[in-house]
Amino acid sequence: MKIKSILVKSIAVTALSVTGLVSANNNTNTAQAAIVENDTAVVTVKNVSDNAITVYNSYKKPEATGQTLASNTSWKVIKTAYDAKGHKWYDLGKNQWVRAKYVTRGYHTQAAVTQAPVQHQTQTENTNSAATTTVANNTNTQTTTSTVSGSEASAKEWIAGRESGGSYGASNGQYVGKYQLSASYLNGDYSAANQERVADNYVKGRYGSWTAAKAFWQANGWY
């Protein structure tokens, strides 16, 4: 992004001290936009005047996605970055970026935590048959059947834990459910059974297997 920097030296030094990836060019006095080491796992939206902050698709050339995050909601952080002007950004997953100035690090005691587990689950595996997941809530019990088993089921649950804490009710912008699928994929059906089915089909089509999807997630922080 070719934007003249207005950084003072102390800001550039602070950015450099995080990982050394944000560097100042002595000849042009500009800073380079870069992803740095995360300094938090969760952020909470501050109380802002419009009661919501804007979500952008990039920290380098940010454009509004049309999504907003309400005040006092908490969100997982996937990446931390500085833009060419030295502004700090957080990626909440799948290139959903927010300015750090509008959030605080960690949970707020009164925050509506959007990605914390809201249901308790147990899973039994049988290497010769499909895994069955039982989800208990306050009013009923849902039983869903996944088409994967063994190491595939283990990789699937690993991803679910990282994406949503294993919660079918988790929400992060346009991504919802246990596997943080795009709402458009679920076609308005957010039931546990449909989430399991769509997640299996998505991973099979994109990665071929849940173990391959897990390897991609470990390398990139998303899948």
Side-chain angles (χ1 to χ4, degrees):
M1 186 174 184
K2 303 297 184 180
I3 300 177
K4 187 175 180 181
S5 173
I6 58 172
L7 286 176
V8 296
K9 291 183 178 179
S10 61
I11 297 177
V13 170
T14 301
L16 276 167
S17 66
V18 179
T19 61
L21 293 178
V22 179
S23 59
N25 186 315
N26 293 329
N27 295 326
T28 61
N29 196 34
T30 60
Q32 302 299 314
I35 293 175
V36 299
E37 184 178 353
N38 270 350
D39 59 2
T40 184
V42 176
V43 293
T44 298
V45 180
K46 295 178 180 179
N47 281 312
V48 289
S49 58
D50 294 330
N51 204 36
I53 64 172
T54 300
V55 178
Y56 296 89
N57 64 354
S58 172
Y59 72 95
K60 292 182 178 179
K61 295 181 179 180
E63 295 182 5
T65 64
Q67 302 163 351
T68 58
L69 305 182
S71 295
N72 290 327
T73 55
S74 295
W75 303 84
K76 291 191 304 183
V77 173
I78 305 301
K79 300 174 186 174
T80 303
Y82 287 88
D83 63 24
K85 289 186 176 181
H87 298 143
K88 188 177 183 180
W89 294 77
Y90 290 114
D91 180 10
L92 307 182
K94 301 179 177 67
N95 289 320
Q96 297 178 106
W97 293 87
V98 295
R99 282 281 302 275
K101 66 182 290 186
Y102 298 118
V103 299
T104 57
R105 289 184 289 179
Y107 290 104
H108 188 280
T109 55
Q110 297 179 341
V113 181
T114 58
Q115 293 182 316
V118 295
Q119 298 168 318
H120 300 288
Q121 63 179 22
T122 59
Q123 176 172 312
T124 59
E125 293 183 7
N126 186 319
T127 57
N128 297 317
S129 62
T132 298
T133 302
T134 300
V135 180
N137 55 33
N138 294 330
T139 58
N140 55 43
T141 298
Q142 298 174 324
T143 300
T144 63
T145 300
S146 172
T147 60
V148 299
S149 60
S151 61
E152 282 292 279
S154 177
K156 184 177 182 179
E157 286 304 300
W158 186 93
I159 287 178
R162 299 309 188 277
E163 289 290 317
S164 68
S167 169
Y168 286 107
S171 176
N172 185 354
Q174 66 173 308
Y175 300 97
V176 298
K178 184 175 179 179
Y179 305 100
Q180 290 294 277
L181 300 166
S182 173
S184 62
Y185 289 173
L186 295 170
N187 198 30
D189 182 357
Y190 300 152
S191 67
N194 193 50
Q195 288 185 38
E196 294 288 341
R197 181 185 63 80
V198 173
D200 284 340
N201 290 339
Y202 167 76
V203 166
K204 181 178 179 180
R206 185 178 179 91
Y207 301 103
S209 69
W210 280 99
T211 52
K214 177 181 176 181
F216 184 91
W217 200 107
Q218 290 174 317
N220 298 276
W222 60 278
Y223 79 114

